Amino acid sequence: MTAIRRIQRELAQLEASPIVGVSVTPDESNLFNWAGTIKPSSESPYKGGTYKFTLVFPENFPFKAPNVKFTTKIYHPGINEQGEICVTLLKDDWKPSISVVTILNTIAEKINNPSPDDPFEPEIAQQLKEDKPKFLQTAKEWVKKYAS
């Protein structure tokens, strides 16, 4: 099966070149399901937190993008209440040549540097634009409340 071989190759690539602050663990009984964590950088508004996510590969991977969802609540303009992440790479811009390393680097970058552009949560994006100190304060409170 093409998907399994590709997933195994992606996993080997991650083991050979780990991403700083990101870890993934495949489900031993189902290689299509991975659990992961991101520990943001010290410059991130989310520093000090650990954010859990799931990465689920479709049966027709790599022709269809994996589904990435945060299970830890995060006050972020690009991640909604359900943990879905707004990354065009996983939607409109998906190509079979995109690696899991690229996906995870993109998500880690999004956590380390939240942007008000192309938001999933317009109110949070507006606050980031117009009242950054308040945004940073709320993000920090959520880190303590949900990600510590």
Side-chain angles (χ1 to χ4, degrees), residues 57-73:
F57 295 94
E59 293 289 326
N60 56 349
F61 180 77
F63 303 104
K64 190 169 183 285
N67 183 333
V68 180
K69 208 174 210 177
F70 278 86
T71 55
T72 304
K73 283 180 69 131

Side-chain angles (χ1 to χ4, degrees), residues 77 114-116 123-132 135-136:
S115 166
E123 299 82 24
I124 297 173
Q126 187 174 356
Q127 185 183 54
L128 175 55
K129 261 186 201 161
E130 296 171 5
D131 191 355
K132 193 168 183 181
F135 165 81
L136 293 171

Side-chain angles (χ1 to χ4, degrees), residues 7-124:
I7 293 167
Q8 288 169 327
R9 204 167 51 240
E10 296 280 355
L11 190 57
Q13 186 182 359
L14 274 168
E15 288 168 353
S17 304
I19 301 167
V20 176
V22 179
S23 69
V24 292
T25 308
D27 181 331
E28 287 180 23
S29 64
N30 184 352
L31 201 54
F32 285 87
N33 296 327
W34 294 9
T37 60
I38 293 180
K39 291 180 187 272
S41 74
S42 58
E43 292 85 45
S44 171
Y46 310 101
K47 66 181 175 249
T50 299
Y51 293 87
K52 295 178 181 176
F53 64 91
T54 58
L55 195 150
V56 178
F57 295 94
E59 293 289 326
N60 56 349
F61 180 77
F63 303 104
K64 190 169 183 285
N67 183 333
V68 180
K69 208 174 210 177
F70 278 86
T71 55
T72 304
K73 283 180 69 131
I74 183 169
Y75 190 75
H76 193 291
I79 301 169
N80 70 14
E81 191 75 25
Q82 292 74 41
E84 295 165 335
I85 186 164
C86 186
V87 176
T88 59
L89 194 71
L90 295 171
K91 308 263 186 290
D92 307 335
D93 294 346
W94 178 255
K95 293 174 185 64
S97 60
I98 296 171
S99 71
V100 173
V101 169
T102 300
I103 294 167
L104 295 175
N105 274 319
T106 301
I107 292 169
E109 173 64 24
K110 196 165 190 84
I111 296 292
N112 287 322
N113 301 296
S115 166
D117 306 325
D118 192 30
F120 238 7
E121 294 292 338
E123 299 82 24
I124 297 173

